[in-house]
Amino acid sequence: MITLDHPWRAAGQREVFRHLLDAMARPGSRHDLSPWAGGSALLAVLACLVDAHTTLHDRDGLLSELDASRLGAGRADAGVARFILARGARVPGDLAPDRGTLLQPERGATVVLAVDYLDGGAPLHLRGPGIDGSATMAPRGLDPAWITARAGWCAHPLGVDYILVDAGRVTCIPRTTAVEA
Amino acid sequence: MDPELNPDLAAAPRAEALAVAALVAAGRRVEPVTVPAEGLWLLRLAEPVRDDRFFVGEVPAAQAAVELRDPVLGACRGGAVLLHGDAEWAGALAVCDAVARAGWPGAHEVEALRERGRAARRDLARMRAAIRERTRVSFAELGQEDAG
């Protein structure tokens, strides 16, 4: 009677999680989530990571009321939310996500950024753990201010992790990655 | 979720609940408002003297919330919580809850299901009362035995 399609099926969410782990372990690598995304890789990532035990700040109103209800996450201000959802093309402005503390660095927020496309934009050069030498990514629809802001937020072990999502793919920039334009 | 309706519906037989839900959902779209969940819930009780809270154990449970969309009548919402690890059953009860609360066509069938659940609860209450009756202690008689 109640039928749930992707991205709400547990089997698909396990696949998405596997790809997110790979994407975090190899910063800048692109992963296709479209088989389990149900048309929205952004929603697939959130359905995989967010539940009633987490908090979410949807800065740009990217979620419909129904999707937000299905996720079940508590709404929270950007400064305390575990997950922040924002449009990459819009500058972070005065956004101040939780960077964690020295005793609890894992409390640093995860920022999920919706971009137009993971290729075709200005190149970003990545270095750090999980990267053999250097890697390049060129997301289109990511304001450079996000990279500048991130540099101020991340000071090992504190910081925030970025997950960049386009219509069907995902890539990650964990806090340990150094990014140069 | 109607807190008075839910226990009655949950006490009705599973197969009948699924059948009634399928009947009242026919021709309507059922959208889950939350992802139906099943699993174990920690049962928390309060100790009566000092009101200390403690976890007595885990119970299997399921919950669902749905929105029903009817081409003519519009939309209505319902929910259910069930002390069984069965999300499909909880989903069916949520559909019944939505129809009953909105008073849509099909509410009579749900009311009949509720009546069967009520009867099942009454039977269970009678059975439990009979078990308790066998353990009743007459302190007056105990006192007489002690005196003798």
PDB file of all heavy atoms in Angstrom, chain A residues 77-109:
ATOM      1  N   ASP A  77      19.422  26.264  13.890  1.00  0.00           N
ATOM      2  CA  ASP A  77      20.160  27.396  13.340  1.00  0.00           C
ATOM      3  C   ASP A  77      21.485  26.899  12.751  1.00  0.00           C
ATOM      4  O   ASP A  77      22.016  25.864  13.175  1.00  0.00           O
ATOM      5  CB  ASP A  77      20.437  28.423  14.427  1.00  0.00           C
ATOM      6  CG  ASP A  77      19.155  29.120  14.876  1.00  0.00           C
ATOM      7  OD1 ASP A  77      18.207  29.163  14.068  1.00  0.00           O
ATOM      8  OD2 ASP A  77      19.107  29.580  16.024  1.00  0.00           O
ATOM      9  N   ALA A  78      22.022  27.684  11.828  1.00  0.00           N
ATOM     10  CA  ALA A  78      23.234  27.259  11.126  1.00  0.00           C
ATOM     11  C   ALA A  78      24.399  27.032  12.084  1.00  0.00           C
ATOM     12  O   ALA A  78      25.233  26.154  11.856  1.00  0.00           O
ATOM     13  CB  ALA A  78      23.609  28.302  10.083  1.00  0.00           C
ATOM     14  N   GLY A  79      24.435  27.770  13.168  1.00  0.00           N
ATOM     15  CA  GLY A  79      25.571  27.673  14.075  1.00  0.00           C
ATOM     16  C   GLY A  79      25.638  26.392  14.873  1.00  0.00           C
ATOM     17  O   GLY A  79      26.693  26.061  15.418  1.00  0.00           O
ATOM     18  N   VAL A  80      24.522  25.686  14.967  1.00  0.00           N
ATOM     19  CA  VAL A  80      24.507  24.460  15.771  1.00  0.00           C
ATOM     20  C   VAL A  80      24.089  23.229  14.969  1.00  0.00           C
ATOM     21  O   VAL A  80      24.185  22.104  15.467  1.00  0.00           O
ATOM     22  CB  VAL A  80      23.570  24.606  16.989  1.00  0.00           C
ATOM     23  CG1 VAL A  80      24.098  25.645  17.963  1.00  0.00           C
ATOM     24  CG2 VAL A  80      22.156  24.933  16.556  1.00  0.00           C
ATOM     25  N   ALA A  81      23.639  23.421  13.732  1.00  0.00           N
ATOM     26  CA  ALA A  81      23.130  22.288  12.942  1.00  0.00           C
ATOM     27  C   ALA A  81      24.269  21.332  12.585  1.00  0.00           C
ATOM     28  O   ALA A  81      25.382  21.763  12.282  1.00  0.00           O
ATOM     29  CB  ALA A  81      22.451  22.795  11.679  1.00  0.00           C
ATOM     30  N   ARG A  82      23.968  20.043  12.632  1.00  0.00           N
ATOM     31  CA  ARG A  82      24.964  19.031  12.231  1.00  0.00           C
ATOM     32  C   ARG A  82      25.141  19.053  10.706  1.00  0.00           C
ATOM     33  O   ARG A  82      26.202  18.758  10.201  1.00  0.00           O
ATOM     34  CB  ARG A  82      24.533  17.640  12.676  1.00  0.00           C
ATOM     35  CG  ARG A  82      24.389  17.465  14.171  1.00  0.00           C
ATOM     36  CD  ARG A  82      25.709  17.037  14.810  1.00  0.00           C
ATOM     37  NE  ARG A  82      26.733  18.064  14.752  1.00  0.00           N
ATOM     38  CZ  ARG A  82      26.820  19.088  15.594  1.00  0.00           C
ATOM     39  NH1 ARG A  82      25.961  19.220  16.541  1.00  0.00           N
ATOM     40  NH2 ARG A  82      27.772  19.978  15.472  1.00  0.00           N
ATOM     41  N   PHE A  83      24.063  19.342   9.986  1.00  0.00           N
ATOM     42  CA  PHE A  83      24.120  19.390   8.518  1.00  0.00           C
ATOM     43  C   PHE A  83      23.559  20.732   8.054  1.00  0.00           C
ATOM     44  O   PHE A  83      22.546  21.209   8.584  1.00  0.00           O
ATOM     45  CB  PHE A  83      23.305  18.251   7.906  1.00  0.00           C
ATOM     46  CG  PHE A  83      23.909  16.895   8.134  1.00  0.00           C
ATOM     47  CD1 PHE A  83      23.621  16.186   9.283  1.00  0.00           C
ATOM     48  CD2 PHE A  83      24.783  16.342   7.220  1.00  0.00           C
ATOM     49  CE1 PHE A  83      24.187  14.943   9.526  1.00  0.00           C
ATOM     50  CE2 PHE A  83      25.362  15.101   7.443  1.00  0.00           C
ATOM     51  CZ  PHE A  83      25.068  14.398   8.601  1.00  0.00           C
ATOM     52  N   ILE A  84      24.245  21.324   7.084  1.00  0.00           N
ATOM     53  CA  ILE A  84      23.782  22.579   6.500  1.00  0.00           C
ATOM     54  C   ILE A  84      23.596  22.342   5.005  1.00  0.00           C
ATOM     55  O   ILE A  84      24.484  21.800   4.339  1.00  0.00           O
ATOM     56  CB  ILE A  84      24.791  23.710   6.743  1.00  0.00           C
ATOM     57  CG1 ILE A  84      24.870  24.017   8.245  1.00  0.00           C
ATOM     58  CG2 ILE A  84      24.399  24.964   5.968  1.00  0.00           C
ATOM     59  CD1 ILE A  84      25.952  25.004   8.610  1.00  0.00           C
ATOM     60  N   LEU A  85      22.442  22.718   4.527  1.00  0.00           N
ATOM     61  CA  LEU A  85      22.128  22.564   3.110  1.00  0.00           C
ATOM     62  C   LEU A  85      22.056  23.954   2.494  1.00  0.00           C
ATOM     63  O   LEU A  85      21.363  24.828   3.016  1.00  0.00           O
ATOM     64  CB  LEU A  85      20.786  21.835   2.978  1.00  0.00           C
ATOM     65  CG  LEU A  85      20.200  21.654   1.604  1.00  0.00           C
ATOM     66  CD1 LEU A  85      21.145  20.864   0.711  1.00  0.00           C
ATOM     67  CD2 LEU A  85      18.854  20.936   1.714  1.00  0.00           C
ATOM     68  N   ALA A  86      22.796  24.165   1.398  1.00  0.00           N
ATOM     69  CA  ALA A  86      22.822  25.500   0.793  1.00  0.00           C
ATOM     70  C   ALA A  86      23.060  25.383  -0.709  1.00  0.00           C
ATOM     71  O   ALA A  86      23.554  24.373  -1.207  1.00  0.00           O
ATOM     72  CB  ALA A  86      23.920  26.347   1.433  1.00  0.00           C
ATOM     73  N   ARG A  87      22.690  26.450  -1.385  1.00  0.00           N
ATOM     74  CA  ARG A  87      22.948  26.531  -2.822  1.00  0.00           C
ATOM     75  C   ARG A  87      24.365  27.058  -3.017  1.00  0.00           C
ATOM     76  O   ARG A  87      24.725  28.116  -2.483  1.00  0.00           O
ATOM     77  CB  ARG A  87      21.920  27.471  -3.458  1.00  0.00           C
ATOM     78  CG  ARG A  87      21.802  27.374  -4.955  1.00  0.00           C
ATOM     79  CD  ARG A  87      20.769  28.352  -5.481  1.00  0.00           C
ATOM     80  NE  ARG A  87      19.416  28.053  -5.039  1.00  0.00           N
ATOM     81  CZ  ARG A  87      18.660  27.073  -5.545  1.00  0.00           C
ATOM     82  NH1 ARG A  87      19.133  26.295  -6.495  1.00  0.00           N
ATOM     83  NH2 ARG A  87      17.438  26.882  -5.095  1.00  0.00           N
ATOM     84  N   GLY A  88      25.176  26.336  -3.787  1.00  0.00           N
ATOM     85  CA  GLY A  88      26.577  26.704  -3.960  1.00  0.00           C
ATOM     86  C   GLY A  88      26.773  28.024  -4.673  1.00  0.00           C
ATOM     87  O   GLY A  88      27.778  28.705  -4.467  1.00  0.00           O
ATOM     88  N   ALA A  89      25.811  28.393  -5.516  1.00  0.00           N
ATOM     89  CA  ALA A  89      25.967  29.626  -6.292  1.00  0.00           C
ATOM     90  C   ALA A  89      25.770  30.869  -5.433  1.00  0.00           C
ATOM     91  O   ALA A  89      26.099  31.974  -5.853  1.00  0.00           O
ATOM     92  CB  ALA A  89      24.974  29.631  -7.457  1.00  0.00           C
ATOM     93  N   ARG A  90      25.191  30.691  -4.250  1.00  0.00           N
ATOM     94  CA  ARG A  90      24.950  31.826  -3.360  1.00  0.00           C
ATOM     95  C   ARG A  90      26.063  31.891  -2.322  1.00  0.00           C
ATOM     96  O   ARG A  90      26.426  30.877  -1.726  1.00  0.00           O
ATOM     97  CB  ARG A  90      23.590  31.648  -2.669  1.00  0.00           C
ATOM     98  CG  ARG A  90      23.030  32.933  -2.138  1.00  0.00           C
ATOM     99  CD  ARG A  90      21.711  32.722  -1.438  1.00  0.00           C
ATOM    100  NE  ARG A  90      21.656  33.576  -0.258  1.00  0.00           N
ATOM    101  CZ  ARG A  90      20.902  33.358   0.789  1.00  0.00           C
ATOM    102  NH1 ARG A  90      20.141  32.291   0.844  1.00  0.00           N
ATOM    103  NH2 ARG A  90      20.914  34.179   1.808  1.00  0.00           N
ATOM    104  N   VAL A  91      26.612  33.053  -2.121  1.00  0.00           N
ATOM    105  CA  VAL A  91      27.764  33.196  -1.219  1.00  0.00           C
ATOM    106  C   VAL A  91      27.370  32.800   0.209  1.00  0.00           C
ATOM    107  O   VAL A  91      26.218  32.957   0.606  1.00  0.00           O
ATOM    108  CB  VAL A  91      28.310  34.641  -1.218  1.00  0.00           C
ATOM    109  CG1 VAL A  91      28.864  35.009  -2.575  1.00  0.00           C
ATOM    110  CG2 VAL A  91      27.246  35.632  -0.786  1.00  0.00           C
ATOM    111  N   PRO A  92      28.344  32.286   0.975  1.00  0.00           N
ATOM    112  CA  PRO A  92      28.009  31.887   2.353  1.00  0.00           C
ATOM    113  C   PRO A  92      27.623  33.061   3.225  1.00  0.00           C
ATOM    114  O   PRO A  92      26.918  32.882   4.224  1.00  0.00           O
ATOM    115  CB  PRO A  92      29.288  31.207   2.848  1.00  0.00           C
ATOM    116  CG  PRO A  92      30.367  31.595   1.913  1.00  0.00           C
ATOM    117  CD  PRO A  92      29.714  31.923   0.607  1.00  0.00           C
ATOM    118  N   GLY A  93      28.085  34.266   2.889  1.00  0.00           N
ATOM    119  CA  GLY A  93      27.725  35.435   3.690  1.00  0.00           C
ATOM    120  C   GLY A  93      28.216  35.300   5.117  1.00  0.00           C
ATOM    121  O   GLY A  93      29.368  34.961   5.358  1.00  0.00           O
ATOM    122  N   ASP A  94      27.305  35.526   6.068  1.00  0.00           N
ATOM    123  CA  ASP A  94      27.714  35.457   7.483  1.00  0.00           C
ATOM    124  C   ASP A  94      27.477  34.084   8.089  1.00  0.00           C
ATOM    125  O   ASP A  94      27.400  33.949   9.307  1.00  0.00           O
ATOM    126  CB  ASP A  94      26.996  36.535   8.296  1.00  0.00           C
ATOM    127  CG  ASP A  94      25.489  36.394   8.184  1.00  0.00           C
ATOM    128  OD1 ASP A  94      25.034  35.481   7.470  1.00  0.00           O
ATOM    129  OD2 ASP A  94      24.770  37.192   8.811  1.00  0.00           O
ATOM    130  N   LEU A  95      27.364  33.079   7.253  1.00  0.00           N
ATOM    131  CA  LEU A  95      27.182  31.707   7.745  1.00  0.00           C
ATOM    132  C   LEU A  95      28.352  31.338   8.654  1.00  0.00           C
ATOM    133  O   LEU A  95      29.510  31.563   8.307  1.00  0.00           O
ATOM    134  CB  LEU A  95      27.122  30.746   6.561  1.00  0.00           C
ATOM    135  CG  LEU A  95      26.692  29.311   6.861  1.00  0.00           C
ATOM    136  CD1 LEU A  95      25.193  29.233   7.127  1.00  0.00           C
ATOM    137  CD2 LEU A  95      27.046  28.402   5.688  1.00  0.00           C
ATOM    138  N   ALA A  96      28.041  30.779   9.808  1.00  0.00           N
ATOM    139  CA  ALA A  96      29.098  30.373  10.750  1.00  0.00           C
ATOM    140  C   ALA A  96      28.790  28.979  11.282  1.00  0.00           C
ATOM    141  O   ALA A  96      28.238  28.820  12.369  1.00  0.00           O
ATOM    142  CB  ALA A  96      29.186  31.376  11.901  1.00  0.00           C
ATOM    143  N   PRO A  97      29.127  27.941  10.513  1.00  0.00           N
ATOM    144  CA  PRO A  97      28.792  26.579  10.949  1.00  0.00           C
ATOM    145  C   PRO A  97      29.622  26.151  12.153  1.00  0.00           C
ATOM    146  O   PRO A  97      30.681  26.724  12.437  1.00  0.00           O
ATOM    147  CB  PRO A  97      29.135  25.731   9.728  1.00  0.00           C
ATOM    148  CG  PRO A  97      30.114  26.525   8.955  1.00  0.00           C
ATOM    149  CD  PRO A  97      29.813  27.956   9.227  1.00  0.00           C
ATOM    150  N   ASP A  98      29.114  25.152  12.850  1.00  0.00           N
ATOM    151  CA  ASP A  98      29.816  24.570  13.991  1.00  0.00           C
ATOM    152  C   ASP A  98      31.092  23.900  13.480  1.00  0.00           C
ATOM    153  O   ASP A  98      31.045  23.037  12.607  1.00  0.00           O
ATOM    154  CB  ASP A  98      28.891  23.549  14.669  1.00  0.00           C
ATOM    155  CG  ASP A  98      29.415  23.094  16.019  1.00  0.00           C
ATOM    156  OD1 ASP A  98      30.592  23.368  16.317  1.00  0.00           O
ATOM    157  OD2 ASP A  98      28.643  22.471  16.761  1.00  0.00           O
ATOM    158  N   ARG A  99      32.233  24.295  14.048  1.00  0.00           N
ATOM    159  CA  ARG A  99      33.518  23.713  13.618  1.00  0.00           C
ATOM    160  C   ARG A  99      33.946  22.585  14.537  1.00  0.00           C
ATOM    161  O   ARG A  99      35.006  21.991  14.343  1.00  0.00           O
ATOM    162  CB  ARG A  99      34.592  24.797  13.618  1.00  0.00           C
ATOM    163  CG  ARG A  99      34.254  25.982  12.725  1.00  0.00           C
ATOM    164  CD  ARG A  99      35.177  27.159  12.996  1.00  0.00           C
ATOM    165  NE  ARG A  99      36.563  26.820  12.801  1.00  0.00           N
ATOM    166  CZ  ARG A  99      37.527  27.041  13.715  1.00  0.00           C
ATOM    167  NH1 ARG A  99      37.232  27.547  14.889  1.00  0.00           N
ATOM    168  NH2 ARG A  99      38.785  26.714  13.449  1.00  0.00           N
ATOM    169  N   GLY A 100      33.138  22.291  15.556  1.00  0.00           N
ATOM    170  CA  GLY A 100      33.538  21.301  16.541  1.00  0.00           C
ATOM    171  C   GLY A 100      34.433  21.934  17.585  1.00  0.00           C
ATOM    172  O   GLY A 100      34.707  23.139  17.560  1.00  0.00           O
ATOM    173  N   THR A 101      34.882  21.107  18.527  1.00  0.00           N
ATOM    174  CA  THR A 101      35.807  21.578  19.557  1.00  0.00           C
ATOM    175  C   THR A 101      37.000  20.630  19.583  1.00  0.00           C
ATOM    176  O   THR A 101      36.951  19.551  18.986  1.00  0.00           O
ATOM    177  CB  THR A 101      35.142  21.580  20.945  1.00  0.00           C
ATOM    178  OG1 THR A 101      34.838  20.218  21.295  1.00  0.00           O
ATOM    179  CG2 THR A 101      33.862  22.394  20.953  1.00  0.00           C
ATOM    180  N   LEU A 102      38.043  21.024  20.290  1.00  0.00           N
ATOM    181  CA  LEU A 102      39.214  20.160  20.347  1.00  0.00           C
ATOM    182  C   LEU A 102      38.874  18.815  20.996  1.00  0.00           C
ATOM    183  O   LEU A 102      39.447  17.789  20.641  1.00  0.00           O
ATOM    184  CB  LEU A 102      40.347  20.847  21.116  1.00  0.00           C
ATOM    185  CG  LEU A 102      41.042  21.968  20.331  1.00  0.00           C
ATOM    186  CD1 LEU A 102      42.039  22.689  21.232  1.00  0.00           C
ATOM    187  CD2 LEU A 102      41.750  21.416  19.095  1.00  0.00           C
ATOM    188  N   LEU A 103      37.925  18.843  21.952  1.00  0.00           N
ATOM    189  CA  LEU A 103      37.515  17.584  22.576  1.00  0.00           C
ATOM    190  C   LEU A 103      36.528  16.818  21.702  1.00  0.00           C
ATOM    191  O   LEU A 103      36.438  15.601  21.781  1.00  0.00           O
ATOM    192  CB  LEU A 103      36.881  17.845  23.949  1.00  0.00           C
ATOM    193  CG  LEU A 103      37.851  18.255  25.049  1.00  0.00           C
ATOM    194  CD1 LEU A 103      37.094  18.544  26.340  1.00  0.00           C
ATOM    195  CD2 LEU A 103      38.889  17.167  25.289  1.00  0.00           C
ATOM    196  N   GLN A 104      35.772  17.539  20.897  1.00  0.00           N
ATOM    197  CA  GLN A 104      34.774  16.892  20.040  1.00  0.00           C
ATOM    198  C   GLN A 104      34.853  17.440  18.611  1.00  0.00           C
ATOM    199  O   GLN A 104      33.924  18.102  18.139  1.00  0.00           O
ATOM    200  CB  GLN A 104      33.372  17.118  20.594  1.00  0.00           C
ATOM    201  CG  GLN A 104      33.119  16.417  21.924  1.00  0.00           C
ATOM    202  CD  GLN A 104      31.703  16.656  22.419  1.00  0.00           C
ATOM    203  OE1 GLN A 104      31.301  17.784  22.649  1.00  0.00           O
ATOM    204  NE2 GLN A 104      30.948  15.586  22.579  1.00  0.00           N
ATOM    205  N   PRO A 105      35.936  17.159  17.926  1.00  0.00           N
ATOM    206  CA  PRO A 105      36.049  17.678  16.552  1.00  0.00           C
ATOM    207  C   PRO A 105      35.023  17.076  15.600  1.00  0.00           C
ATOM    208  O   PRO A 105      34.709  17.675  14.567  1.00  0.00           O
ATOM    209  CB  PRO A 105      37.476  17.283  16.153  1.00  0.00           C
ATOM    210  CG  PRO A 105      37.841  16.157  17.059  1.00  0.00           C
ATOM    211  CD  PRO A 105      37.119  16.392  18.345  1.00  0.00           C
ATOM    212  N   GLU A 106      34.479  15.891  15.981  1.00  0.00           N
ATOM    213  CA  GLU A 106      33.483  15.252  15.100  1.00  0.00           C
ATOM    214  C   GLU A 106      32.184  16.053  15.051  1.00  0.00           C
ATOM    215  O   GLU A 106      31.319  15.782  14.219  1.00  0.00           O
ATOM    216  CB  GLU A 106      33.220  13.813  15.560  1.00  0.00           C
ATOM    217  CG  GLU A 106      32.341  13.652  16.784  1.00  0.00           C
ATOM    218  CD  GLU A 106      33.082  13.878  18.092  1.00  0.00           C
ATOM    219  OE1 GLU A 106      34.269  14.238  18.054  1.00  0.00           O
ATOM    220  OE2 GLU A 106      32.461  13.708  19.162  1.00  0.00           O
ATOM    221  N   ARG A 107      32.044  17.036  15.929  1.00  0.00           N
ATOM    222  CA  ARG A 107      30.831  17.846  15.912  1.00  0.00           C
ATOM    223  C   ARG A 107      30.854  18.902  14.809  1.00  0.00           C
ATOM    224  O   ARG A 107      29.877  19.617  14.613  1.00  0.00           O
ATOM    225  CB  ARG A 107      30.627  18.524  17.267  1.00  0.00           C
ATOM    226  CG  ARG A 107      30.262  17.546  18.371  1.00  0.00           C
ATOM    227  CD  ARG A 107      30.030  18.277  19.679  1.00  0.00           C
ATOM    228  NE  ARG A 107      28.899  19.193  19.590  1.00  0.00           N
ATOM    229  CZ  ARG A 107      27.632  18.824  19.785  1.00  0.00           C
ATOM    230  NH1 ARG A 107      27.363  17.586  20.081  1.00  0.00           N
ATOM    231  NH2 ARG A 107      26.667  19.705  19.686  1.00  0.00           N
ATOM    232  N   GLY A 108      31.963  19.026  14.111  1.00  0.00           N
ATOM    233  CA  GLY A 108      32.031  19.954  12.990  1.00  0.00           C
ATOM    234  C   GLY A 108      30.951  19.630  11.959  1.00  0.00           C
ATOM    235  O   GLY A 108      30.699  18.465  11.660  1.00  0.00           O
ATOM    236  N   ALA A 109      30.316  20.658  11.443  1.00  0.00           N
ATOM    237  CA  ALA A 109      29.161  20.459  10.552  1.00  0.00           C
ATOM    238  C   ALA A 109      29.578  19.881   9.204  1.00  0.00           C
ATOM    239  O   ALA A 109      30.725  20.027   8.768  1.00  0.00           O
ATOM    240  CB  ALA A 109      28.438  21.786  10.352  1.00  0.00           C
TER     241      ALA A 109
END
